[in-house]
């Protein structure tokens, strides 16, 4: 059935807004060309979006030609402010941006192991409030959170997970209570994969696996452009994967003995020590990443080369297991360790995969590293806010801003 006039207007408006988001400011003529809509239809939608406060004139084009200049229309970036959080076991990082994702303020805060649940939650919430104030955001529209652990696919809530601080789960509820904002929570590795697909190493791939290598291990699976979470939200819990080379098997409550025991930060640091490597990490960086970076930048050091070879042997075990089941065609070595290893480590892992599996698989190093989680959280917040703000007036899901 043909769309009703109101539905057609909503579709046209969203199309125009997406083009303005992707291409930047455009003239009415450029919108006509890109959308294929008639000139009167484009004129009507520009008028509607301007009246709704979503679009405004941001300049003129044609300064170098004769005749009247055409108005350039752009999305009103300060229509909504967003926040993104990267919640680690011992720290919280936050960034505040406008509706288009331009950064307005950024901050981070370490949270010690012995900090109680209540004080830890208060410190984290206060950090968000203070950063929003610094950014001039009187009211945050949407907050995206990346956290370790499982996200319930039915409720979207962070589930209780063994080994994770209790304040993680309490933090989400506290932010929902203290902030007049929509709060979206996602597993940190899944957000890293989203960021690598949009802005990083997997921009040309709609099917790939991100192997997260940071303080811990994890994986994110993207198939045909869609992130796969599994029946319980546990797709990618590769730390529990039973692998050779460990002393025991993982249990339902402890990944010790699984792939984590080969590729987690502590295991990588121990492997580096066996090969005589030493390095000092930067702030908030796993020591393992500093060690891998030191090995990569010492190509003439035989100990460094042997360390990278041994690490590649370990990573190839996990990558081969994922490849045998999913055949993704591409594995991204993510997180701080994956980025530190760069092409030197990725090439080694790919060579081993080629010998272990008949399935052609390209291995790439992350270009975003540990920052991918925060970037993915911001992308999620931006998408959620735009979906709501760009909805037709009066439609389900629209906020009072429209």
């Amino acid at each position: 059935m043909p769309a009703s006039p109101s539905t057609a207007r909503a579709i046209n408006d969203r199309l125009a807004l997406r083009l303005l988001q992707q291409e930047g400011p455009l003239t009415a003529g450029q919108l006509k060309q890109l959308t294929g809509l008639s000139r009167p239809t484009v004129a009507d939608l520009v008028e509607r979006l301007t009246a709704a406060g979503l679009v405004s004139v941001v300049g003129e084009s044609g300064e170098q030609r004769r005749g009247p200049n055409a108005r350039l229309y752009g999305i009103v970036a300060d229509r909504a402010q967003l926040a993104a959080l990267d919640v680690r076991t011992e720290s919280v990082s936050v960034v505040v941006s406008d509706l288009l994702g331009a950064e307005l303020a950024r901050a981070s805060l370490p949270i010690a192991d012995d900090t109680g649940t209540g004080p830890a939650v208060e410190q984290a919430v206060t950090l968000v409030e203070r950063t929003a104030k610094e950014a001039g955001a009187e009211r945050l529209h949407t907050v995206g959170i990346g956290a370790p652990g499982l996200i319930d696919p039915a409720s979207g809530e962070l589930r209780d997970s063994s080994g994770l601080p209790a304040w993680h789960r309490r933090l989400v509820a506290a932010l929902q209570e203290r902030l007049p904002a929509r709060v979206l929570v996602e597993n940190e590795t899944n957000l890293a994969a989203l960021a690598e697909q949009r802005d990083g190493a997997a921009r040309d791939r709609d099917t790939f696996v991100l192997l997260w290598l940071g303080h811990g291990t994890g994986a994110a699976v993207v198939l045909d452009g869609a992130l796969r979470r599994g029946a319980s939200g546990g797709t990618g819990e590769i730390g529990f994967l039973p692998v050779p080379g460990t002393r025991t098997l993982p249990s339902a409550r402890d990944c010790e003995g699984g792939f984590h025991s080969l590729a987690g930060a502590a295991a990588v640091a121990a492997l580096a020590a066996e090969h005589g490597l030493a390095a000092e990490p930067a702030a908030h960086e796993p020591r393992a990443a500093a060690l891998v970076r030191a090995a990569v930048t010492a190509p003439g050091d035989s100990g460094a080369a042997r360390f990278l070879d041994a690490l590649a042997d370990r990573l190839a075990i996990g990558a081969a297991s994922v490849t045998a089941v999913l055949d993704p065609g591409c594995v991204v070595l993510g997180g701080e360790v994956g980025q530190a290893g760069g092409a030197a480590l990725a090439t080694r892992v790919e060579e081993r995969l080629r010998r272990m599996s008949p399935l052609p698989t390209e291995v790439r190093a992350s270009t975003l590293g540990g920052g991918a989680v925060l970037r993915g959280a911001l992308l999620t917040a931006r998408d959620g806010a735009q979906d709501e703000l760009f909805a037709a007036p009066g439609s389900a899901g629209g906020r009072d801003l429209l």
Side-chain angles (χ1 to χ4, degrees), residues 45-60:
L45 74 83
V46 167
E47 184 177 352
R48 280 195 304 275
L49 296 175
T50 301
L54 292 173
V55 166
S56 67
V57 177
V58 296
E60 294 182 339

Side-chain angles (χ1 to χ4, degrees), residues 251-278:
S251 70
R253 300 194 61 80
D254 189 353
C255 60
E256 185 65 30
F259 182 65
H260 176 82
S261 295
L262 292 183
V268 175
L271 182 64
E274 292 176 13
H275 291 82
L277 296 179

Side-chain angles (χ1 to χ4, degrees), residues 277-282 285-299 304 307-308 311 335-337 339-342 345:
L277 296 179
E280 286 299 320
E285 179 186 45
R287 184 164 173 263
L291 291 164
V292 170
R293 186 179 302 108
V296 169
T297 55
F307 163 67
L308 291 174
L311 179 57
E336 294 92 346
V337 174
Q339 184 182 40
L345 182 59

Side-chain angles (χ1 to χ4, degrees), residues 205 233 385:
R205 308 289 306 200

Side-chain angles (χ1 to χ4, degrees), residues 1-330:
M1 295 179 62
S4 66
S6 61
T7 300
R9 285 194 295 270
I11 293 172
N12 292 340
D13 290 355
R14 289 176 69 89
L15 173 59
L17 287 164
R18 290 301 180 195
L19 287 170
L20 289 169
Q21 176 202 38
Q22 296 165 7
E23 305 294 334
L26 298 168
T27 66
Q30 289 170 326
L31 282 171
K32 174 182 177 298
Q33 182 179 11
L34 291 170
T35 61
L37 299 173
S38 68
R39 188 176 300 276
T41 299
V42 170
D44 287 344
L45 74 83
V46 167
E47 184 177 352
R48 280 195 304 275
L49 296 175
T50 301
L54 292 173
V55 166
S56 67
V57 177
V58 296
E60 294 182 339
S61 68
E63 290 86 352
Q64 304 302 318
R65 63 174 174 80
R66 290 186 176 183
N69 294 331
R71 292 179 175 178
L72 278 170
Y73 295 94
I75 292 175
V76 179
D78 61 0
R79 181 63 189 273
Q81 284 79 39
L82 320 171
L85 279 74
D86 180 1
V87 181
R88 304 289 179 103
T89 55
E90 298 178 355
S91 67
V92 175
S93 297
V94 59
V95 62
V96 177
S97 81
D98 63 22
L99 184 58
L100 290 178
E103 184 176 317
L104 303 176
R106 176 185 293 256
S108 61
L109 177 73
I111 296 181
D113 287 339
D114 57 356
T115 305
T117 299
V121 170
E122 182 61 29
Q123 289 176 27
V125 174
T126 300
L127 178 70
V128 176
E129 293 175 333
R130 186 171 64 246
T131 308
K133 183 177 181 180
E134 179 185 337
E138 295 182 3
R139 177 185 180 187
L140 292 172
H141 182 282
T142 305
V143 177
I145 302 175
L150 303 181
I151 306 300
D152 190 309
S155 67
E157 296 180 351
L158 183 65
R159 291 169 52 187
D160 289 320
S161 300
S162 61
L164 294 178
W167 63 266
H168 279 198
R169 185 175 174 83
R170 289 275 299 277
L171 174 60
V172 176
L175 288 170
Q176 290 171 331
E177 292 173 1
R178 293 264 288 269
L179 302 177
R182 181 185 181 191
V183 178
L184 307 174
V185 188
E186 181 57 272
N187 172 267
E188 58 179 357
T189 307
N190 288 343
L191 290 179
L194 170 64
E196 294 286 358
Q197 186 181 35
R198 294 273 194 93
D199 302 327
R203 280 175 292 184
D204 60 338
R205 308 289 306 200
D206 62 359
T207 295
F208 70 99
V209 168
L210 174 83
L211 196 61
W212 178 263
L213 306 169
H215 285 288
T217 58
V221 177
V222 177
L223 301 177
D224 299 323
L227 183 68
R228 306 298 179 177
R229 296 177 174 83
S232 64
T235 294
E237 288 295 318
I238 198 171
F240 287 87
L241 179 73
V243 292
T246 61
R247 298 178 180 178
T248 184
L249 290 174
S251 70
R253 300 194 61 80
D254 189 353
C255 60
E256 185 65 30
F259 182 65
H260 176 82
S261 295
L262 292 183
V268 175
L271 182 64
E274 292 176 13
H275 291 82
L277 296 179
E280 286 299 320
H284 307 301
E285 179 186 45
R287 184 164 173 263
L291 291 164
V292 170
R293 186 179 302 108
V296 169
T297 55
D301 186 323
S302 60
R306 289 195 299 272
F307 163 67
L308 291 174
D309 286 339
L311 179 57
D313 288 341
R314 294 183 176 194
L315 299 181
I317 292 173
S321 301
V322 170
T323 298
V325 175
L326 299 174
D327 186 20
C330 178

